[in-house]
Amino acid sequence: MKSIISFFLRFVPRKYLQLFSHIGLQVLKVWYRGNKVECTVCQSTFSEFLPYGRLVSRSNALCPNCLALERHRLLWLFLNQKTSFFEQKLDVLHIAPELCFMDRFEKVHGDRYITADIESPLAKVKLDVHDIPYPEANFDVVFCNHVMEHVTDDYKAMSEIFRVLKPGGFAILQIPLFHPLKDETYEDPTITDPRERETAFGQDDHVRMYGKDYADRIRSVGFEVEESKYVEEFSPEEQKRYALPTDEIIFYCKKK
């Protein structure tokens, strides 16, 4: 199963995975029936989650029902327990929206919830994060997860997110972390071959590998950044039950 999923992730275009992967995975649910693990997003239980990963496949990672990964299950808990995201209707911009969240977020925020992507067929708006087509101070919340490692100019993208966020609003800007983290972000625009990028940055469509300076890069455009190790608030038993990422840092970014 690990090699099959890895193959699809590496060689099937992202837009087709977004359109059809959840259909195929529904068939697998019957083989993973059980109660050892629980998805915090959809509340489904299984004997274990599916493996997931391109080069290195992680066991017990992907919920076959809603497609939530470890980081999604942790973020869902964070939003529930540390923010007012589910308590009132907000103006939300969700860039590169994750399928496991879309319907659930829209149920809360209605037509004030905007999904956007440069190519995803699931998003409502086609959008380049370098040039967000919305006025200043337009959104209460912006999600932009696992995007910054793909974009040409991450400072420009962060600045645009800061611009469209209302004062008092927050953004979640997650990125993949390859431990042990280097002190500084590594990027080299001369590396253009997909296989070389895969070796250098962990994925063939990544253009940088972030280091310990990531939060400072976000702060440089005006954000206040809390580097939350929220997962540490859960017991080892809860971390195992929900299959949470034990080394994940949530970058909770606020605009004064």
Side-chain angles (χ1 to χ4, degrees):
M1 183 59 68
K2 286 184 177 181
S3 59
I4 293 173
I5 292 177
S6 176
F7 174 84
F8 277 97
L9 289 174
R10 292 182 70 192
F11 300 112
V12 176
R14 176 172 169 257
K15 64 179 180 180
Y16 297 120
L17 289 174
Q18 290 172 323
L19 283 172
F20 304 116
S21 60
H22 63 288
I23 299 173
L25 289 177
Q26 294 299 308
V27 180
L28 295 176
K29 287 197 298 184
V30 66
W31 302 103
Y32 286 79
R33 287 181 299 185
N35 194 39
K36 288 186 177 180
V37 296
E38 179 181 349
C39 178
T40 62
V41 180
C42 67
Q43 285 77 57
S44 298
T45 62
F46 302 95
S47 59
E48 64 177 330
F49 293 120
L50 289 165
Y52 189 88
R54 291 176 178 245
L55 297 180
V56 178
S57 187
R58 308 185 304 276
S59 299
N60 201 32
L62 179 69
C63 174
N65 183 59
C66 71
L67 276 66
L69 291 167
E70 307 99 318
R71 64 179 185 267
H72 302 136
R73 292 190 287 275
L74 181 64
L75 182 56
W76 183 271
L77 291 168
F78 182 86
L79 292 173
N80 265 288
Q81 298 181 14
K82 298 296 184 179
T83 77
S84 60
F85 182 76
F86 291 108
E87 297 174 5
Q88 57 185 315
K89 283 194 173 185
L90 301 169
D91 294 307
V92 181
L93 176 63
H94 195 168
I95 300 168
E98 297 94 335
L99 187 63
C100 62
F101 290 148
M102 292 172 66
D103 289 345
R104 293 168 176 86
F105 286 179
E106 187 165 45
K107 187 175 181 179
V108 176
H109 303 290
D111 57 8
R112 296 172 67 177
Y113 171 65
I114 304 298
T115 55
D117 195 279
I118 197 167
E119 65 174 16
S120 171
L122 302 178
K124 297 175 183 177
V125 175
K126 186 172 182 179
L127 175 151
D128 182 346
V129 73
H130 295 97
D131 186 19
I132 299 177
Y134 289 98
E136 184 176 346
N138 198 72
F139 296 99
D140 299 294
V141 180
V142 178
F143 296 112
C144 188
N145 299 323
H146 285 232
V147 171
M148 294 301 161
E149 67 276 11
H150 296 272
V151 302
T152 303
D153 187 343
D154 58 339
Y155 287 107
K156 182 67 167 72
M158 294 171 190
S159 295
E160 278 291 277
I161 291 171
F162 183 82
R163 180 183 65 81
V164 300
L165 194 64
K166 297 177 184 178
F170 72 87
I172 303 287
L173 307 178
Q174 298 300 98
I175 44 95
L177 297 171
F178 296 90
H179 295 276
L181 295 178
K182 296 181 179 179
D183 289 334
E184 295 184 354
T185 295
Y186 171 58
E187 50 190 336
D188 184 349
T190 66
I191 301 176
T192 57
D193 179 78
R195 297 286 77 83
E196 290 181 10
R197 280 184 172 177
E198 193 172 61
T199 300
F201 309 124
Q203 197 166 303
D204 60 9
D205 55 353
H206 288 185
V207 298
R208 63 184 58 84
M209 183 180 287
Y210 283 107
K212 296 177 183 177
D213 61 339
Y214 177 62
D216 287 334
R217 292 167 82 101
I218 306 174
R219 292 185 183 104
S220 73
V221 305
F223 279 111
E224 292 183 342
V225 183
E226 176 188 346
E227 299 174 70
S228 173
K229 295 184 179 180
Y230 174 60
V231 68
E232 295 179 356
E233 296 186 20
F234 295 90
S235 69
E237 293 76 20
E238 289 172 318
Q239 293 179 19
K240 185 177 181 180
R241 172 72 176 173
Y242 302 137
L244 301 178
T246 57
D247 55 3
E248 182 85 354
I249 298 170
I250 294 179
F251 295 94
Y252 182 61
C253 313
K254 298 198 72 174
K255 181 176 181 177
K256 278 190 175 181

